[in-house]
Amino acid sequence: MRFSPTSLLSLAGRLATAALLTQCHSVATTASLTQPAPSAVVQPVVVTDPVPHDTDDPAIWINPTDPARSLIVGTDKDADGGLYVFDLHGKMLPGKTVHNLRRPNNVDIAYGLKLSGQLTDFALATEREQFRLRAFRLPDMQPLDLGNLAVFVGEPLAERLPMGIAFYTRPTDGALFAIVGRKVGPREGYLWQYQLSDDGTGHIKATVVRKFGKWSGKKEIESIAVDNELGYVYYSDEGVGVRQYFADPAKGDVELALFATTGFTEDHEGISIYKTGPQTGYLLVSDQGANQFHIFRREGTPAQPYSHPLLKVVRVAAQVSDGSDMTNTALPGFPHGLFVAMSTDRTFHYYRWEDLAGKELARSPEIGHEGTATLVSPGK
């Protein structure tokens, strides 16, 4: 959702999340904290070339053989939109651009899906006005679908407009899933989860395996993020908070937590995960109307496994930021990880993690750029 930036939030908020138990749902309790004062405005290291229309969501692809040649894939959300690919210097790579997409909204990146016997990395984007997903191989951005990845089939037309997307790879069997949100939908079963696989011709097919997730009905649900190691999916119920569920459909549809319910100026948006270890780190949530990100603890405690206390609020130069992505991989110029956020000036901003973390938050070890450079899996 887009709007004019409003005044900054009051510095005296209290973070409180509801504790709610019903027969089918168990919501975690999060202790209230005094709202941290926002930091000074953090400036990006890189601002990308502008896209023609309207940036919305980025995704980071880590090149497995040479991380210095990693890429940023970003959506240009318009009826005549596209997927634009940038290098780590923010330069657009025209030969990789995908044009003629009708309002591509969000994008995520998957690693190692077997297609025609080959392990394949690819970007998957929601094409809102065509009611479908589009898949493109990385790094050459060649199509991996036949234009037939329709979503929310059988729903009323107004409830078939896809927006958010995130991948989950199940560790027990390597099954790959896409979790997809939409512009509007029912109060229950707002998100649909699809298993992705080879259709027998080297193209991707998507099979519905689950319909889950509450919606407040207040605004919309766009941003979705998955924590593969801990096995959770998070999504922003705009104007309400962040909801947490198990990512594995076999574990059921119980809502585990609703947090980030106070202290936001207008609209909860992009969610990104920074990993300091396999089970530790931070969740970054965009406070879109205030040009800042609220940073919560990733891991819970034995007593409160779904508790996510607010630790820090960081102002950024990116304006009215919607989508974002994060990696802890060491990259040239980003020794402790890269954070990418869209900005309404039609660009994406690249930030160093240490600039966001300051002295308050931990950082992952600085890892060299040769060979495998990730501390943990490179997904969101």
Side-chain angles (χ1 to χ4, degrees):
M1 185 175 294
R2 296 296 169 80
F3 45 81
S4 299
T6 58
S7 60
L8 292 177
L9 60 85
S10 167
L11 300 184
R14 305 286 285 181
L15 178 67
T17 55
L20 177 63
L21 293 175
T22 67
Q23 183 178 5
C24 299
H25 292 81
S26 173
V27 180
T29 301
T30 300
S32 296
L33 293 177
T34 300
Q35 180 86 1
S39 65
V41 176
V42 178
Q43 297 298 323
V45 176
V46 172
V47 176
T48 68
D49 295 332
V51 302
H53 303 294
D54 182 13
T55 49
D56 194 78
D57 187 51
I60 304 167
W61 176 68
I62 303 298
N63 187 308
T65 59
D66 183 2
R69 299 177 63 188
S70 298
L71 302 172
I72 310 302
V73 180
T75 59
D76 184 22
K77 188 174 66 175
D78 190 84
D80 180 27
L83 281 179
Y84 286 80
V85 181
F86 305 88
D87 63 18
L88 293 180
H89 303 288
K91 298 303 180 185
M92 192 180 295
L93 304 175
K96 298 183 184 298
T97 298
V98 179
H99 294 286
N100 300 317
L101 297 179
R102 295 185 58 186
R103 205 167 182 82
N105 217 108
N106 283 32
V107 61
D108 201 6
I109 287 170
Y111 294 80
L113 179 65
K114 187 171 286 188
L115 298 174
S116 297
Q118 300 294 318
L119 296 179
T120 305
D121 299 349
F122 64 97
L124 190 67
T126 54
E127 189 177 11
R128 193 198 299 183
E129 293 182 359
Q130 293 289 78
F131 317 107
R132 65 183 179 182
L133 309 178
R134 294 301 313 276
F136 301 93
R137 184 175 61 205
L138 285 161
D140 61 11
M141 296 299 288
Q142 292 303 302
L144 289 174
D145 65 85
L146 298 172
N148 59 348
L149 298 181
V151 290
F152 306 113
V153 174
E155 298 286 276
L157 198 62
E159 296 184 6
R160 291 194 57 201
L161 301 166
M163 294 182 68
I165 190 165
F167 284 116
Y168 168 61
T169 301
R170 186 162 55 197
T172 54
D173 60 2
L176 179 66
F177 302 90
I179 299 173
V180 186
R182 43 186 155 169
K183 182 72 174 177
V184 296
R187 293 297 184 96
E188 297 279 352
Y190 195 100
L191 282 75
W192 285 21
Q193 186 163 349
Y194 296 84
Q195 185 166 352
L196 305 181
S197 57
D198 193 325
D199 69 355
T201 71
H203 296 90
I204 291 174
K205 69 176 181 179
T207 305
V208 179
V209 296
R210 177 165 67 148
K211 305 171 185 180
F212 74 102
K214 290 181 179 180
W215 176 48
S216 67
K218 185 173 182 180
K219 290 191 175 181
E220 63 191 34
I221 292 169
E222 181 175 5
S223 180
I224 307 170
V226 170
D227 188 325
N228 267 298
E229 287 78 15
L230 296 183
Y232 302 130
V233 55
Y234 302 93
Y235 63 88
S236 288
D237 191 339
E238 292 184 18
V240 175
V242 176
R243 299 185 186 272
Q244 178 181 359
Y245 289 78
F246 287 117
D248 187 345
K251 292 188 175 182
D253 302 336
V254 172
E255 182 174 280
L256 303 173
L258 171 61
F259 63 98
T261 56
T262 63
F264 281 70
T265 299
E266 191 170 4
D267 285 350
H268 303 68
E269 286 284 358
I271 305 173
S272 300
I273 302 171
Y274 182 78
K275 302 169 183 177
T276 56
Q279 298 188 12
T280 59
Y282 307 102
L283 306 173
L284 289 75
V285 182
S286 176
D287 181 0
Q288 190 179 41
N291 303 329
Q292 59 192 19
F293 284 81
H294 294 219
I295 303 179
F296 302 86
R297 189 172 65 200
R298 175 190 178 202
E299 67 277 9
T301 66
Q304 293 183 304
Y306 312 121
S307 174
H308 304 284
L310 177 63
L311 303 176
K312 186 176 183 179
V313 178
V314 178
R315 293 192 184 110
V316 293
Q319 297 295 300
V320 196
S321 189
D322 200 338
S324 61
D325 199 10
M326 179 91 242
T327 179
N328 67 349
T329 301
L331 300 169
F334 304 91
H336 296 282
L338 165 65
F339 178 68
V340 182
M342 63 74 60
S343 179
T344 50
D345 59 0
R346 300 182 291 119
T347 67
F348 296 97
H349 289 197
Y350 299 179
Y351 295 87
R352 287 187 293 251
W353 168 249
E354 53 266 40
D355 294 340
L356 302 176
K359 297 180 180 179
E360 302 93 331
L361 304 179
R363 56 191 70 178
S364 66
E366 184 170 348
I367 305 170
H369 312 311
E370 300 80 18
T372 55
T374 51
L375 177 67
V376 290
S377 66
K380 286 186 180 179

